[in-house]
Amino acid sequence: MSGFKKWPTHQKIILPILVVLGFGMLVNETQIREPKPVNLLVSNPEIVDGDTFRIDGRRYRLIGMDAPDSDRNGDVLKTAAGLYLEELVRQNGPMDCTSTFLDKPLAAEGICRQNRSSWGRMNLSCRFRSNGASVGATMVRHGYAVDFRQHSGLAYAALMKDAAREARGLWGVDYRAMRQLAIERGRLPESCEK
């Protein structure tokens, strides 16, 4: 066997150690890229509007849906959506919230944006502890918010269409404004399109 040398004993030990260390670094890097979900019990939030609440001065956004922010009627829709969310929380009690989108199994397509925060607010998906109902799905089903496609993968689209057809909630107040919001939130940014 010309040109072949036997590895010294110390090199036989070092190679497996280096392989194990390299694998460990790879696993650590993967864990850093995918942080653990944030989980919160939300008992008495201050409702800011139909998709935002505050706890101890920190703002949180309900992910997967969007409630009106402003409208041509002097923020009537925004106020009504906020009051409806406030009433839902009053009636159903505490919410279990997480940074993982809980209604992902309802999605009809891949979810483009899964950011943990947007517009200075942490994104959360919440369920009422009393009955397990999704807060986002409830807001959309009752007509106080629309499906936000890039964050939901169309998880709430069928609920939104039913609410619009039956003129539930804000769809019965200003159909045109809700339709415009639904169209805007149904579009995917170019970075999301396939």
Side-chain angles (χ1 to χ4, degrees):
M1 288 196 232
S2 64
F4 179 76
K5 286 184 173 180
K6 247 181 141 178
W7 280 28
T9 306
H10 70 280
Q11 287 181 344
K12 288 179 184 176
I13 295 171
I14 290 176
L15 184 60
I17 290 172
L18 289 175
V19 169
V20 168
L21 285 174
F23 182 73
M25 290 171 59
L26 180 64
V27 169
N28 254 353
E29 188 178 321
T30 303
Q31 289 173 346
I32 290 169
R33 277 192 237 139
E34 296 181 24
K36 291 183 180 178
V38 173
N39 297 302
L40 295 173
L41 171 62
V42 178
S43 295
N44 192 18
E46 174 192 345
I47 304 301
V48 175
D49 59 30
D51 57 28
T52 307
F53 59 88
R54 189 178 337 210
I55 303 169
D56 298 327
R58 182 153 186 198
R59 292 165 56 103
Y60 298 90
R61 184 178 200 294
L62 293 168
I63 194 69
M65 57 85 151
D66 194 32
D69 288 322
S70 61
D71 58 75
R72 55 190 162 86
N73 297 325
D75 294 340
V76 170
L77 300 182
K78 176 183 178 175
T79 302
L83 289 172
Y84 190 74
L85 178 57
E86 193 171 278
E87 183 62 19
L88 280 177
V89 172
R90 188 187 67 70
Q91 286 179 4
N92 294 289
M95 301 179 289
D96 289 311
C97 300
T98 181
S99 57
T100 302
F101 184 53
L102 296 171
D103 294 322
K104 193 173 186 175
L106 301 175
E109 64 185 21
I111 297 173
C112 171
R113 300 265 164 89
Q114 298 185 47
N115 309 30
R116 289 219 166 173
S117 63
S118 56
W119 300 288
R121 304 170 287 188
M122 177 179 276
N123 292 330
L124 295 175
S125 184
C126 302
R127 294 192 181 280
F128 291 112
R129 184 167 269 198
S130 63
N131 58 20
S134 163
V135 178
T138 302
M139 289 291 289
V140 174
R141 180 185 309 113
H142 293 184
Y144 288 88
V146 299
D147 180 79
F148 200 162
R149 183 178 180 186
Q150 65 181 306
H151 296 283
S152 74
L154 297 173
Y156 306 140
L159 299 172
M160 179 180 69
K161 288 176 184 175
D162 289 345
R165 186 180 62 251
E166 296 174 15
R168 287 188 221 137
L170 301 178
W171 289 95
V173 174
D174 191 340
Y175 186 92
R176 207 166 97 203
M178 289 299 285
R179 182 176 182 276
Q180 184 59 40
L181 181 61
I183 290 169
E184 290 169 10
R185 296 305 181 241
R187 290 186 188 122
L188 288 176
E190 285 183 22
S191 61
C192 292
E193 292 179 3
K194 298 166 182 94

